[in-house]
Amino acid sequence: MNLWRSLLAVIAGFFIVALLSVGADAVMRLVGVFPDGRMPDGLFIVPAIYRAVFTALGGYATARLAPARPMVHAAVLGAFGLLGGLGGLAAALENPELGPLWYAASIPASALPCIWLGARLGSRG
């Protein structure tokens, strides 16, 4: 059934972004790139870049797995990414000790463009 394939496409894209992001964070801490405490503001560029790449990969996977209309599926994934990123931005506004505001703002700002790019590359038509 196409509904289940559509749902799977969006969920797969979401998990690709989430698992790669969390995994990369863990590896960066494990190898000592990220300190155990609060990172210097300039170091936040590293996760901002790899999260953008992982977000594009999620868009790519969603488009490839979509049974039809890959860009619509990517837009759904993008909406979830945008909402989640806005939630993170709201948390950062309340808790400035979490990191620089530019980093928190970069997540929702890059969600739609990165997913769109990945989906364009992954769409079959």
Side-chain angles (χ1 to χ4, degrees), residues 56 59-60 63-64 70-71 74 114-124:
Y60 179 89
R64 295 296 297 167
M71 297 306 284
C114 290
I115 288 173
W116 177 86
L117 175 63
R120 272 310 274 159
L121 294 172
S123 65
R124 294 177 284 277

Side-chain angles (χ1 to χ4, degrees), residues 47-58:
I49 291 169
Y50 67 67
R51 277 185 169 70
V53 171
F54 297 157
T55 300
L57 285 173

